[in-house]
Amino acid sequence: MNANPKHVADPTRLRNQNLIGGQWKAALSGQSIAVENPANEEIIAQVPRGQQEDIDEAVKVARATFESAAWRKIRPIDRGRILENIARKVEEHAEELSWLESLDTGKAISFARVIDLPSTVDVFRYMGGWCSKLGGTTPPISFDGKEYHAYTRREPVGVVGAITPWNYPLALGSWKIASALAAGCTMVLKPTELTPLSTLRLAELCLEAGLPEGALNVVNGYGHEAGEALARHPDIDKITFTGSTVVGKKIVEYALGNMKRVTLELGGKSPSIVFDDADLDQVGLGAALAVFFNSGQICFAASRLFVQASVYDRVVEAVAAVASQFKVGNGQDTDTMLGPLVSRKQQERVLGYVQSGIEQGASLIYGGQKIGDKGYFLQPTVFADADQSMKIAQEEIFGPVVSIIRFKDEVEAIRLANDTTYGLAANIWTRDIKKAHRVAHRLQAGSVWINCHGVIDPAAPFGGFKQSGWGREVSEEGLAAYTEIKTVCALLDD
Ligand code: NAD
């Protein structure tokens, strides 16, 4: 069944333009980038191929807005109201945005409706609440025994550059936009060239919601052009990046020039750990969703599944059975569970990993095949008898492939789970409450879920240990990363 087209925005209606200072403008070079529907390989829109000169213009506008009285003097409570208005606008347009996100990324619209859209709305609403609560402290000063009055201020870090990936462009872009605006920053955002459409529509809605022109600017383009120009820009005070670890490391180099603040949300190779005392009726579906959701294109996909030896065969069978029942298809069909991968390049990359799993001796239990001649569909793929030495167990695949590995006891499970350069997330399946928390404390991961997975909330810090990133997003910690703390100290004695 196809989604109801009466709510639908025509993606070609979205202008082939960047948003700079409230004005829609083509790239100064006049060049554009074609945007493809990964389900049928048709071109659905064009966006500008922004370059250095477009970034320069946007940064200038964002700086002028940041310095302007019009932006600085908005009362905190009124800035919160603007964010709340954006949340409402997104709510009003939720069906249209879900459709656009599904068309552009390929993802199942049924999940865009219940995951991507609510998390977008929630983060604007949550951060809107912080605008009027972002205060400082009054540290008691001992120093030389004289009387002082000291206080801290949380000031906006300044002009923020944001770079986003293709898997959750709307929700992940909103994390950055909402946090930056709540802190009083202005922003230049470069969405991914692969799935930029929902970001452009969101920017339109932000203006309609009363966001002052120039506070949010969107420049489309390729990473090595517009992205690099933004990350290197000497008048950008902070860069916030979500994407691969390889590019994250480049961002660090680019940022060095003016030592801009850096937040990085990077890749992962997250473990699911199933103990033999787990509720095995839940585990098959839980562990399968933890890796296959969004066709595995999730930074916290639990692509390594560690199972205690005594229940290993049963869990392998259960996960394969669930995988075989997932409907792979066009994201606009409301019964689709897994849409296509985002691009041919990504499909080929994932198929390369499937091949390496076979060559390195893992047992292919289910899947591993492309589906159809058009679009980048791939079966969910289950490998058993995998071990840590295999590429499929070490490298981020970013596709629907799980490697199932045996362990004998708690100590070994923790050792194997931590044996990776990544540290984004993990989940644990057990009925033993002491063991659950003991293991959670030992795992090197930014988020640990017990008997569940992927519980992402604007109030809960999100980010990675090790090479999964620097800093945290959303939550009070994520918001603080868009501020600088200033200590002001006054001598009171004569
Ligand atoms: P990517 O690193 O290829 O691209 C991400 C963004 O960076 C895009 O906008 C791209 O244009 C830009 N970019 C590419 N090269 C650049 C350069 N040299 N300079 C500046 N910008 C550049 O990542 P992707 O393929 O879009 O997304 C998948 C990756 O993102 C995976 O590794 C995934 O784990 C990660 N991711 C992480 C999180 C998280 O919160 N930790 C969330 C989603 C995705």
Side-chain angles (χ1 to χ4, degrees):
M1 193 180 50
N2 223 258
N4 181 352
K6 86 172 177 254
H7 301 286
V8 155
D10 174 1
T12 55
R13 186 193 68 74
L14 287 165
R15 311 164 182 92
N16 180 357
Q17 288 172 329
N18 294 320
L19 178 65
I20 300 179
Q23 307 297 312
W24 292 94
K25 300 182 171 190
L28 288 165
S29 70
Q31 292 179 306
S32 47
I33 300 172
V35 181
E36 185 190 30
N37 175 348
N40 59 17
E41 305 177 36
E42 282 171 12
I43 301 302
I44 47 175
Q46 302 280 336
V47 294
R49 180 172 170 181
Q51 315 225 12
Q52 179 79 52
E53 61 266 27
D54 305 281
I55 292 289
D56 286 345
E57 190 184 345
V59 173
K60 213 165 159 190
V61 166
R63 172 64 58 191
T65 308
F66 180 70
E67 304 292 353
S68 70
W71 176 248
R72 288 189 165 242
K73 293 212 168 143
I74 299 177
R75 296 188 312 155
I77 208 134
D78 292 333
R79 210 166 55 241
R81 198 198 316 260
I82 294 171
L83 291 185
E84 169 62 24
N85 287 345
I86 297 173
R88 288 197 191 155
K89 276 279 169 199
V90 174
E91 259 171 346
E92 279 166 29
H93 293 270
E95 185 57 22
E96 174 200 336
L97 286 163
S98 302
W99 183 86
L100 200 54
E101 196 74 326
S102 161
L103 190 75
D104 199 4
T105 62
K107 70 175 61 198
I109 191 165
S110 2
F111 294 116
R113 285 179 181 137
V114 297
I115 304 280
D116 303 51
L117 265 295
S119 60
T120 301
V121 170
D122 287 353
V123 78
F124 279 107
R125 191 156 279 150
Y126 172 86
M127 286 298 172
W130 268 113
C131 295
S132 52
K133 295 165 196 73
L134 196 60
T137 58
T138 51
I141 301 297
S142 301
F143 194 54
D144 56 4
K146 291 185 179 154
E147 192 175 353
Y148 294 91
H149 171 52
Y151 59 95
T152 64
R153 287 169 49 78
R154 283 211 169 266
E155 299 185 356
V157 72
V159 179
V160 175
I163 300 177
T164 51
W166 45 258
N167 59 342
Y168 281 83
L170 181 68
L172 296 176
S174 297
W175 282 13
K176 299 183 189 303
I177 299 168
S179 311
L181 296 177
C185 300
T186 59
M187 174 173 274
V188 177
L189 190 158
K190 191 209 80 70
T192 162
E193 62 277 22
L194 288 172
T195 61
L197 301 182
S198 58
T199 307
L200 286 169
R201 185 69 183 112
L202 174 67
E204 276 185 331
L205 294 174
C206 288
L207 287 181
E208 285 176 27
L211 184 68
E213 295 178 349
L216 171 65
N217 306 277
V218 180
V219 177
N220 292 275
Y222 291 117
H224 65 283
E225 295 177 347
E228 180 171 344
L230 186 61
R232 283 194 189 279
H233 205 289
D235 207 23
I236 288 282
D237 300 300
K238 170 189 170 97
I239 189 92
T240 170
F241 171 82
T242 302
S244 59
T245 297
V246 172
V247 177
K249 289 181 180 179
K250 291 187 188 175
I251 299 288
V252 171
E253 282 178 39
Y254 303 158
L256 272 179
N258 67 335
M259 290 192 70
K260 48 178 70 70
R261 307 299 179 247
V262 179
T263 297
L264 301 173
E265 294 296 342
L266 308 177
K269 192 72 191 169
S270 299
S272 284
I273 304 175
V274 179
F275 288 100
D276 58 8
D277 57 5
D279 178 349
L280 294 182
D281 293 337
Q282 282 187 7
V283 162
L285 181 61
L289 283 175
V291 60
F292 296 133
F293 199 76
N294 211 44
S295 298
Q297 301 167 118
I298 299 198
C299 49
F300 54 79
S303 52
R304 296 179 300 148
L305 172 53
F306 296 102
V307 184
Q308 199 152 18
S310 56
V311 294
Y312 185 85
D313 292 340
R314 201 173 144 190
V315 171
V316 169
E317 202 178 304
V319 170
V322 173
S324 70
Q325 283 158 22
F326 283 158
K327 187 189 163 220
V328 181
N330 189 324
Q332 264 90 59
D333 295 340
T334 46
D335 56 348
T336 287
M337 187 76 194
L338 307 182
L341 299 181
V342 76
S343 64
R344 179 172 306 284
K345 189 172 157 213
Q346 186 65 6
Q347 188 193 40
E348 283 169 1
R349 196 171 160 267
V350 177
L351 282 166
Y353 278 108
V354 172
Q355 191 53 36
S356 88
I358 295 168
E359 283 165 10
Q360 291 192 308
S363 311
L364 180 62
I365 304 290
Y366 181 78
Q369 300 292 319
K370 287 199 251 189
I371 301 174
D373 302 327
K374 274 265 173 225
Y376 310 123
F377 299 97
L378 185 67
Q379 289 177 314
T381 301
V382 179
F383 278 110
D385 306 317
D387 69 54
Q388 290 291 96
S389 67
M390 296 175 183
K391 261 172 74 170
I392 53 169
Q394 285 296 334
E395 296 180 17
E396 183 181 45
I397 298 177
F398 225 58
V401 180
V402 67
S403 304
I404 314 186
I405 299 170
R406 259 185 205 82
F407 70 85
K408 65 175 187 306
D409 57 20
E410 186 179 322
V411 171
E412 188 181 30
I414 293 166
R415 182 178 60 75
L416 292 172
N418 286 339
D419 177 23
T420 163
T421 54
Y422 294 109
L424 193 57
N427 69 57
I428 302 163
W429 300 86
T430 176
R431 286 190 174 103
D432 178 340
I433 192 167
K434 289 185 184 168
K435 180 161 63 185
H437 290 286
R438 204 163 55 223
V439 175
H441 292 191
R442 298 285 308 279
L443 291 175
Q444 295 161 344
S447 298
V448 179
W449 293 293
I450 298 173
N451 295 322
C452 59
H453 185 80
V455 182
I456 300 287
D457 190 279
F462 183 80
F465 283 29
K466 302 198 277 188
Q467 294 190 32
S468 288
W470 281 356
R472 294 294 178 270
E473 283 210 286
V474 295
S475 75
E476 192 175 350
E477 282 82 357
L479 178 61
Y482 288 85
T483 65
E484 293 279 11
I485 297 186
K486 179 181 285 173
T487 303
V488 181
C489 183
L491 174 64
L492 302 186
D493 285 349
D494 287 331

